[in-house]
Amino acid sequence: MGKPAVHALRAVLAVVLAGTVFVQAAMVWALIGGNDPEDGSLPLNPLRVITILGMVSVQVALVCVWRLVTMVRRGTVFSHDAFRYVDGVIGAIVAAALLWFTVTALNAPGQRDDPGVTVIMGGIGVAILGVALVVLVLRMLLAQAVARDVEAARMQAELDAVI
């Protein structure tokens, strides 16, 4: 992975991380203010808490990707240490999906006249879980690559011993 690609990815990760921190701060500020509507519509404080937790899941994924990029740059990504970061990304995505399903459940009673919105929101949650499955498949590919790397190192050691 070239230096320009690493720097560009890190810049994007830093901007997104800063954005999530800004959103969290805004949600905490709104929680302190407590401006929920009095007209019986959806209470905002549970949604604010879910937003804060959702930003935490995004931040966990960003930090894990940052660490994986560092490992790629150093050439150490094909090691068992990488699994903890890939597992962190998978966990963060699953947490985000669960939070999205919670938002869908909170929103569903207000959508009795038009349940299509709830169905679409549920479909988005399933799509988020699909992303977690894709990362899980990539984790399995990483496991195969690590196993082959270990096997190649063992074979090289045997060859070096013979020579």
Side-chain angles (χ1 to χ4, degrees), residues 30-160:
L31 273 173
I32 293 170
N35 297 328
D36 275 359
E38 298 292 331
D39 62 358
S41 62
L42 189 64
L44 295 178
N45 280 344
L47 293 176
R48 291 175 181 141
V49 171
I50 291 169
T51 301
I52 291 168
L53 294 174
M55 294 299 106
V56 169
S57 70
V58 171
Q59 290 165 347
V60 167
L62 291 171
V63 169
C64 289
V65 170
W66 186 286
R67 296 294 301 162
L68 286 168
V69 168
T70 301
M71 293 180 81
V72 167
R73 188 74 183 123
R74 292 180 183 158
T76 60
V77 76
F78 295 118
S79 66
H80 293 286
D81 293 337
F83 290 111
R84 123 180 59 163
Y85 301 117
V86 175
D87 291 341
V89 171
I90 293 169
I93 295 170
V94 170
L98 294 175
L99 289 169
W100 183 258
F101 285 129
T102 303
V103 169
T104 302
L106 288 173
N107 189 46
Q111 299 297 326
R112 287 194 179 117
D113 294 336
D114 186 14
V117 172
T118 303
V119 171
I120 291 169
M121 289 178 71
I124 291 170
V126 170
I128 295 169
L129 286 176
V131 172
L133 288 173
V134 168
V135 176
L136 181 63
V137 168
L138 294 174
R139 185 192 187 283
M140 288 187 260
L141 292 172
L142 177 64
Q144 287 179 351
V146 168
R148 291 205 177 164
D149 196 44
V150 167
E151 180 67 17
R154 184 189 61 78
M155 293 173 92
Q156 183 66 43
E158 286 179 9
L159 184 61
D160 289 344

